[in-house]
Amino acid sequence: MLRREQVVEAALGLLDEVGLDGLTMRRLAEKLNVKAATLYWHVKNKQELLEAMAEAMLADCGASPPEAAPGLEQAIELAGKLRAALLTRRDGARVFGGTYVAQPNTLRVSERLLAALREAGLPLRAVAWGAWTISYYVIGFTLEEQALSTSGAGPQRLQAALDPMRFPQLAAAFSHLIDGDLEARFDYGLRLITAGLRAELASGAEPVRPVDPHVAARRERRRPAR
């Protein structure tokens, strides 16, 4: 009898073969040698399948305990593990980024990231927003990283389009923009984020929520005249 775990594993295998754009319920049914309707006993729709795939990708990431001591260094370690998990599958970042998973592996990783930031001494809102910022950075970086690995010709197209007279800054920074040391680039961006969190820790201030200019104008109109 077909089990949900088999469906998810087959979907991950198919993802590696054809990518996210080629992953369809019909193709998955053919791979499993079943009718497409059979799949819907195990997942309601493709979105639920993608959520199950995202959850499966984080199995090792959520299971292995962090090596770093709790705090910002542990948050950096967890971010690296999340990136590594997404890189295990073709288009892994696209699959994960398009879901809002509330299942054990994903929740465990989120819990550890939040705990690390709380242990660092950050105020609660900074913990929550800092965790979101780190997660968005990892997903975005890995998304571009995987796109670069499949397109291949991106740097050449950029170089061909650069007119140093029109785009002097792009031309000057070109070698750094296409630097292939992705580990160093990832670490650099991550440490910029944690440096910001350290600065906030030193100031003891909560992040300020931006005010919508329309809301600000309404508040100004309501103020009593002096």
Side-chain angles (χ1 to χ4, degrees), residues 82-199:
L82 176 57
R83 171 175 170 246
L86 300 183
L87 287 173
T88 59
R89 298 290 182 175
R90 179 177 171 181
D91 290 337
R94 287 181 64 195
V95 171
F96 189 83
T99 60
Y100 199 86
V101 184
Q103 297 183 40
N105 294 332
T106 306
L107 293 175
R108 191 175 297 115
V109 173
S110 299
E111 176 73 12
R112 286 177 175 171
L113 179 56
L114 290 164
L117 296 178
R118 288 207 78 177
E119 186 69 23
L122 288 161
L124 190 56
R125 187 167 63 174
V127 168
W129 289 4
W132 275 128
T133 302
I134 290 170
S135 299
Y136 292 152
Y137 171 69
V138 174
I139 295 169
F141 186 96
T142 313
L143 186 69
E144 292 296 322
E145 181 178 4
Q146 291 185 313
L148 183 63
S149 69
T150 56
S151 65
Q156 290 83 356
R157 288 202 303 271
L158 176 60
Q159 186 173 30
L162 280 185
D163 178 348
M165 298 300 293
R166 294 180 62 199
F167 309 109
Q169 303 308 321
L170 279 170
F174 181 74
S175 63
H176 299 291
L177 291 171
I178 65 166
D179 190 322
D181 190 347
L182 295 174
E183 297 296 329
R185 284 164 55 180
F186 178 77
D187 185 66
Y188 178 80
L190 192 56
R191 290 188 181 277
L192 280 181
I193 294 171
T194 52
L197 291 173
R198 284 192 175 92

Side-chain angles (χ1 to χ4, degrees), residues 200-212:
E200 187 161 311
L201 180 60
S203 72
E206 289 274 10
V208 178
R209 184 183 297 275
V211 177
D212 185 304

Side-chain angles (χ1 to χ4, degrees), residues 10-21 23 50 53 57 89-92 95:
L12 289 168
L14 186 58
L15 179 70
D16 288 337
E17 294 172 20
V18 301
L20 182 57
D21 292 333
L23 176 62
L50 293 176
M53 292 165 65
M57 283 192 292
R89 298 290 182 175
R90 179 177 171 181
D91 290 337
V95 171

